[in-house]
Amino acid sequence: MTCSFIRLLSLKKYSISILFFSGLLVSFPALASTTDISTKSFSKQVEMANEAKISKELLLLITQDALEDRLESQQASCLLAKLIAAQREGLPLNVFEEKVIEGRAKGVSASRICSAVNAMLVEMQFSKQLLHELTGKAPDKSIIKNMVEVSAQGISRAQQTAFVTAYASRSLKSIVEGLKLYALLKQAGVSFNELQGFMRLVMKDDATLMRWKEVTQLFSIVIATGVDPDDFITKASSAVEAGILPNAFARNFALQPRSLGVTERNSEIN
Amino acid sequence: MKNDTKIEQQLRNILSEEFIDIDPPENFTKNILAKLPEVESRTSHQSFKHICGCMWDKITRPITFSFSPLQLAVVLMVFCGSAVVFAPLNFSKVASRPVTMVKQQPVRFALYDPEQKFSSAVVIGSFNKWQSRGFEMSYDEQQKTWILEHELPEGDYEYVFLVNGESSIPDPRALFYVQDSFGNKNSLIQVGGVRHDL
């Protein structure tokens, strides 16, 4: 009974995907009649995208846009080609998929979405190569995703390379966490020297990094009260050096004694 | 019955007297063995079948246990006792196992619009897959601000305000931003941690 039910389910699933792709294939002639671009190449790319396990939701979205003239098939082909390339190189595909959806939601033109996806692809390839050189093995997709986020926060390739090289002895996860903290504080206006000093102290060990990685949240609250970013980081550096816990440090700013994302009890244990 | 034993005894006596000094013929044992039918030696496959057959016989043969009511009572008491002692331990282990629940935190989005230039405002971001449904803001006349209060799981999210259904603008009050790769910025919100603890 159960076996036949499972078989029925898998048949249903199979039928849905047959229906989906039949729909796509049937739609190609209509696409060809409305555009001058070769349908053959686009249909082939849809097939390749499906084989590359690009989400059906996104595939349907792109094909539908192409059909309804919201997206030229040349642009659609460009998007599919980038997604296929990302999948083949073992890059986190969901980041690209989300970027396409974000672009559409914001009403960004297809050509700009394609350029953005291409820029992300290049950036990810760089991050992957950089981390591969450091560890000798291909980095995890989540690590690459975090590196791209760091890059979007305004950290240049040179800064990424310098940071990774400076803390090469640390684990990849710690390096990425540290880099995220560095990027946010830099963006918030902390000067280079103050930031370097703070990062050196925080990157001392994993426990210190985990305690202080959410200092940006405290920072955003304190800065809103008119405190200078450098003053804040100087005091934070002194606190790290003196072994003062983040929750105790928060009291210096007349804030309620709470932890920095870690409960007070856990913070003291650490 | 008694006659049979008598005859047997008489025959034994006669035969023992008659053949007592006679030796068996030459090659007697050899000849008898030669006349016996040859038994084929078992192949490994046959041996295996034989062993299996024996084992099958052993495990399928019914076994009879015999015990007194007192013995049965003792066994039942030991079984029930161990169940009472160990079951709560196992249950407490299961109960103490951490339950992975996504912690939701209240978040307040606000867009100041003193002249009410915008006809509508929606929050779109990585937390809602950039879809506007369910994240519409409402205008507060007193505060002259578009407001949305929503609960989100802990994490870092990018977001913008979509105004008049077409233009996206980053949150002017946000401290952190992220380049959106389209030449604009997304605001960054950190849900959970110190902001929500303070």
Side-chain angles (χ1 to χ4, degrees):
Chain A
M1 180 70 181
T2 317
C3 189
S4 60
F5 179 66
I6 291 165
R7 211 174 291 154
L8 187 71
L9 272 179
S10 60
L11 270 173
K12 199 178 171 187
K13 203 175 168 186
Y14 187 61
S15 322
I16 289 167
S17 72
I18 287 173
L19 275 174
F20 172 74
F21 286 104
S22 310
L24 288 185
L25 291 169
V26 164
S27 66
F28 295 138
L31 184 69
S33 64
T34 53
T35 59
D36 298 329
I37 306 300
S38 163
T39 309
K40 199 180 171 185
S41 63
F42 183 61
S43 66
K44 201 176 175 184
Q45 260 181 326
V46 172
E47 276 180 31
M48 283 164 70
N50 179 51
E51 281 167 17
K53 292 190 170 48
I54 286 157
S55 79
K56 288 183 172 48
E57 186 191 2
L58 188 66
L59 263 182
L60 189 62
L61 199 78
I62 293 172
T63 317
Q64 201 174 342
D65 276 5
L67 266 174
E68 293 172 7
D69 286 343
R70 287 196 298 266
L71 187 65
E72 285 179 23
S73 57
Q74 193 181 2
Q75 312 292 357
S77 294
C78 163
L79 281 174
L80 290 178
K82 302 299 172 200
L83 293 169
I84 293 164
Q87 173 68 11
R88 281 187 183 156
E89 292 195 32
L91 300 173
L93 201 61
N94 59 332
V95 180
F96 295 95
E97 289 175 350
E98 201 175 297
K99 191 51 72 181
V100 175
I101 292 168
E102 181 190 339
R104 281 186 81 258
K106 287 179 173 176
V108 176
S109 71
S111 60
R112 279 177 71 193
I113 295 176
C114 196
S115 303
V117 168
N118 189 47
M120 282 176 71
L121 186 68
V122 172
E123 213 52 52
M124 275 196 197
Q125 284 165 335
F126 167 76
S127 299
K128 191 182 171 185
Q129 180 66 27
L130 178 67
L131 298 176
H132 189 272
E133 279 171 16
L134 182 76
T135 60
K137 59 180 181 180
D140 195 63
K141 281 183 183 177
S142 62
I143 299 275
I144 300 174
K145 188 187 169 195
N146 284 332
M147 287 294 277
V148 171
E149 284 170 6
V150 164
S151 168
Q153 283 162 13
I155 298 295
S156 68
R157 286 183 178 188
Q159 286 167 328
Q160 281 182 47
T161 311
F163 192 93
V164 166
T165 312
Y167 301 105
S169 60
R170 307 297 312 281
S171 72
L172 216 51
K173 201 181 166 190
S174 298
I175 290 173
V176 175
E177 283 293 343
L179 203 48
K180 278 169 82 174
L181 177 61
Y182 177 84
L184 287 174
L185 291 174
K186 183 179 172 288
Q187 189 194 122
V190 178
S191 67
F192 179 78
N193 287 338
E194 291 295 334
L195 190 52
Q196 291 293 326
F198 180 72
M199 289 313 301
R200 255 196 303 277
L201 293 167
V202 166
M203 291 295 285
K204 190 172 62 183
D205 53 61
D206 281 356
T208 312
L209 178 64
M210 292 315 282
R211 266 183 226 146
W212 288 92
K213 70 172 187 175
E214 288 183 43
V215 74
T216 48
Q217 294 200 24
L218 182 61
F219 181 87
S220 64
I221 296 166
V222 171
I223 294 304
T225 64
V227 174
D228 180 69
D230 279 356
D231 282 352
F232 176 85
I233 289 298
T234 307
K235 284 178 181 171
S237 296
S238 304
V240 178
E241 214 162 12
I244 295 169
L245 297 171
N247 55 305
F249 174 65
R251 291 189 189 107
N252 294 341
F253 296 94
L255 298 168
Q256 291 296 314
R258 296 285 198 280
S259 65
L260 294 166
V262 185
T263 63
E264 203 159 345
R265 191 173 160 272
N266 288 344
S267 185
E268 276 160 12
I269 288 165
N270 288 333
Chain B
M1 187 75 181
K2 276 185 179 176
N3 290 336
D4 287 348
T5 42
K6 267 186 182 176
I7 293 163
E8 188 184 336
Q9 192 58 47
Q10 282 170 352
L11 276 168
R12 279 182 185 278
N13 293 336
I14 293 160
L15 286 168
S16 61
E17 281 169 13
E18 204 168 325
F19 299 110
I20 199 156
D21 295 329
I22 298 171
D23 288 330
E26 209 175 327
N27 297 328
F28 175 76
T29 314
K30 201 178 174 184
N31 290 338
I32 285 177
L33 283 173
K35 283 181 182 175
L36 284 172
E38 270 187 36
V39 180
E40 285 178 24
S41 61
R42 281 197 190 108
T43 62
S44 61
H45 176 69
Q46 284 168 330
S47 303
F48 178 72
K49 270 180 84 176
H50 177 72
I51 292 164
C52 288
C54 289
M55 281 179 71
W56 180 250
D57 281 349
K58 287 218 184 276
I59 58 171
T60 54
R61 195 180 297 156
I63 303 166
T64 312
F65 290 102
S66 59
F67 47 82
S68 67
L70 184 67
Q71 285 171 325
L72 179 67
V74 169
V75 169
L76 281 173
M77 275 174 69
V78 169
F79 178 77
C80 293
S82 59
V84 167
V85 171
F86 294 113
L89 287 177
N90 292 333
F91 178 75
S92 65
K93 268 183 193 171
V94 173
S96 64
R97 216 172 279 162
V99 181
T100 50
M101 282 179 69
V102 181
K103 198 178 173 188
Q104 300 270 335
Q105 296 281 7
V107 179
R108 187 175 188 268
F109 295 100
L111 176 63
Y112 188 55
D113 181 17
E115 292 164 18
Q116 207 175 345
K117 285 181 188 170
F118 310 131
S119 58
S120 68
V122 184
V123 187
I124 56 169
S126 53
F127 48 79
N128 62 5
K129 279 199 155 189
W130 304 93
Q131 303 303 308
S132 54
R133 195 175 292 170
F135 286 81
E136 294 86 0
M137 304 176 90
S138 53
Y139 192 73
D140 185 317
E141 295 283 351
Q142 284 185 332
Q143 295 180 49
K144 309 269 182 207
T145 304
W146 291 92
I147 293 169
L148 173 72
E149 284 174 356
H150 213 281
E151 285 199 337
L152 295 177
E154 290 188 356
D156 294 359
Y157 302 102
E158 294 177 31
Y159 70 99
V160 288
F161 298 124
L162 189 69
V163 294
N164 302 333
E166 51 182 19
S167 310
S168 60
I169 51 169
D171 186 349
R173 298 193 318 168
L175 183 69
F176 302 114
Y177 295 94
V178 174
Q179 296 295 332
D180 72 349
S181 310
F182 306 123
N184 296 310
K185 284 178 179 176
N186 292 333
S187 308
L188 186 74
I189 186 169
Q190 296 177 303
V191 180
V194 69
R195 182 178 283 277
H196 288 87
D197 289 346
L198 285 169

